[in-house]
Amino acid sequence: MRLLRVLRRRQSCKRITQRLDIDMRPRLRRAFYWLLALTGLHTAAMVALEAMGWEDALWLTLTTMTTVGYGDLSAATPLGRAATVALLYVAGITLLAQLASDYIDYRLKRKESMIKGRWRWQMKDHVLIINSPNNNAAVYFERLVVQLRATEPLEDTPVQILTEAFPDGLPENLREMAVVHHHGEPSDPQALQAVTPAQAKAIVVLAQDEYSRVSDSITLDVLTQLRGLCQDTLPYTVAECVHEDSRRRIEQAGASTTLRPIRAYPEMLVRSLVAPGAEKILENLFTHCDDHAMRYPVMLENAVWADVTCRLMAAGMGTLMAYVAKEDGQVICHPAHDHRFNACALILMVREEFVPTSRDVERCVRQATALP
């Protein structure tokens, strides 16, 4: 019996939801057309029965229907009064009240649909973000959007998110930053069509679980559907890739570039949008493969940044990225070309196939500091 009550309650809720989801725009249009018809009929009746001009007849109809009732004009004949009662008092005023009530309901429902992600925004030139992290999605999106707004090419670009993470609506701070969302599964064809990917300025496909290979399969499915919706011409698309061996397949599926999920640094995603290719440099900084950063304990006095950098590059030692100040141990990144400094260590970007020793680097920079 308890199970039966639960099922009945669910069916009742479903019927209520279906009733609320009825599109009210056709209903509003029908009520408006009926209101126009009643207005026309009563105006014509006043011209025929009360010998009024068309302007006076229309004025009387509108003031009576809206219950303003100035009293400057009124029906005097029995037939004219009967027409006013039947067409306006009974039908017109009731229909006008119903139209106003339905319009208010429509506006409230429209606002609720927008907040809860059931509205089709029909956006253009927007940044479309598909999927969301499993954990702390609101915090991640806030950091990501803050970085987007701090970047000049994207500071005014609207952002739309396709996700299931916010069934009750986006947090208020995200909505205030011109972010909207559509509630749905990332791989749902109807949800993907609703976010107008073909009109997007850029697309970001996030990995739902940054540790699971299944996320790459979902990303491949999403990219395949996006290509169909965009007629094989995707906007610039960044796709997160959990496993290294999936990169090639994801790029073949349509991604312009791939990026490992790094939830603590959404800035990397933004860099990949405004400076394509920069994400590869940033990724290399996190690994020991390909190019990577090395620290060399080299003492320098009154050195010039450009001289040391050029000498190291000319000798094939690597690219000077920063130095450690001798005075306070602060790491100074990429100063001006004529910057003079005292260092107790240098940080170089070196190649995997050749990693110089500290002695090699020290010998090279000593020559640079000896230049006139």
Side-chain angles (χ1 to χ4, degrees):
M1 291 297 293
R2 182 178 180 183
L3 179 60
L4 184 60
R5 286 196 299 269
V6 171
L7 291 175
R8 287 177 177 173
R9 191 180 301 115
R10 287 182 179 177
Q11 291 176 353
S12 176
C13 291
K14 186 176 180 181
R15 286 194 297 268
I16 292 172
T17 302
Q18 289 174 345
R19 273 201 309 272
L20 291 175
D21 287 341
I22 294 175
D23 192 353
M24 296 183 66
R25 282 175 291 183
R27 182 175 174 179
L28 288 170
R29 282 195 294 267
R30 286 195 300 269
F32 180 72
Y33 293 149
W34 274 109
L35 203 59
L36 286 180
L38 289 174
T39 302
L41 285 174
H42 186 265
T43 302
M46 293 301 100
V47 172
L49 301 175
E50 300 291 335
M52 292 184 181
W54 284 101
E55 292 184 0
D56 288 340
L58 179 60
W59 175 253
L60 173 61
T61 301
L62 294 178
T63 55
T64 304
M65 183 182 296
T66 57
T67 69
V68 175
Y70 284 109
D72 52 346
L73 295 173
S74 61
T77 66
L79 288 177
R81 291 174 178 175
T84 300
V85 170
L87 294 175
L88 297 189
Y89 291 177
V90 175
I93 295 176
T94 302
L95 188 59
L96 182 62
Q98 183 64 46
L99 179 63
S101 175
D102 287 348
Y103 180 73
I104 293 173
D105 288 343
Y106 168 73
R107 295 289 297 182
L108 291 174
K109 181 183 175 184
R110 181 174 181 265
K111 183 178 180 181
E112 182 184 10
S113 297
M114 288 179 174
I115 292 176
K116 293 192 174 182
R118 297 194 297 265
W119 187 260
R120 293 198 173 200
W121 294 91
Q122 301 298 329
M123 299 178 73
K124 187 176 181 181
D125 294 330
H126 57 293
V127 174
L128 172 60
I129 303 173
I130 299 175
N131 219 336
S132 57
N134 271 338
N135 301 313
N136 300 318
V139 176
Y140 176 80
F141 283 130
E142 181 180 358
R143 292 178 180 176
L144 179 59
V145 175
V146 166
Q147 288 299 313
L148 288 171
R149 295 291 174 256
T151 306
E152 185 175 353
L154 299 173
E155 61 182 355
D156 296 323
T157 304
V159 177
Q160 184 173 22
I161 305 171
L162 172 59
T163 177
E164 292 182 293
F166 307 102
D168 295 324
L170 290 175
E172 186 176 354
N173 57 339
L174 286 176
R175 296 202 302 267
E176 290 176 351
M177 290 188 285
V179 180
V180 298
H181 87 298
H182 185 80
H183 186 75
E185 294 182 8
S187 56
D188 180 12
Q190 293 183 351
L192 286 172
Q193 187 176 10
V195 294
T196 58
Q199 304 297 324
K201 185 176 184 178
I203 300 175
V204 176
V205 184
L206 298 176
Q208 185 172 359
D209 187 343
E210 60 267 35
Y211 301 108
S212 173
R213 187 185 293 269
V214 177
S215 295
D216 289 344
S217 300
I218 297 174
T219 299
L220 284 168
D221 179 45
V222 169
L223 289 171
T224 301
Q225 294 190 59
L226 288 176
R227 287 180 61 182
L229 292 171
C230 299
Q231 299 180 351
D232 289 331
T233 306
L234 282 175
Y236 185 79
T237 303
V238 180
E240 288 189 335
C241 174
V242 175
H243 284 267
E244 195 68 28
D245 55 4
S246 299
R247 281 186 186 268
R248 184 174 180 81
R249 289 184 295 140
I250 289 177
E251 290 176 355
Q252 288 176 344
S256 306
T257 188
T258 56
L259 186 67
R260 291 284 293 276
I262 302 178
R263 295 291 176 252
Y265 290 97
E267 296 86 348
M268 292 183 63
L269 267 176
V270 179
R271 289 297 96 202
S272 67
L273 293 175
V274 298
E279 72 281 355
K280 300 300 181 185
I281 299 173
L282 296 173
E283 274 195 316
N284 283 340
L285 293 174
F286 287 89
T287 66
H288 196 73
C289 301
D290 299 323
D291 299 335
H292 56 275
M294 292 285 292
R295 174 169 171 153
Y296 293 94
V298 176
M299 302 294 292
L300 290 177
E301 296 284 346
N302 198 31
V304 179
W305 179 263
D307 294 340
V308 178
T309 302
C310 292
R311 176 65 67 176
L312 288 168
M313 293 185 66
M317 298 292 166
T319 303
L320 184 59
M321 305 294 293
Y323 71 89
V324 181
K326 184 178 179 181
E327 295 81 3
D328 53 10
Q330 293 292 319
V331 177
I332 309 300
C333 299
H334 198 252
H337 69 284
D338 57 351
H339 176 71
R340 288 188 174 273
F341 62 97
N342 301 323
C344 61
L346 301 177
I347 299 176
L348 277 68
M349 180 75 76
V350 300
R351 293 176 291 117
E352 183 182 11
E353 58 270 20
F354 174 68
V355 180
T357 64
S358 296
R359 188 173 180 181
D360 294 334
V361 172
E362 185 172 5
R363 185 185 302 116
C364 180
V365 297
R366 292 300 177 199
Q367 295 175 359
T369 55
L371 293 174

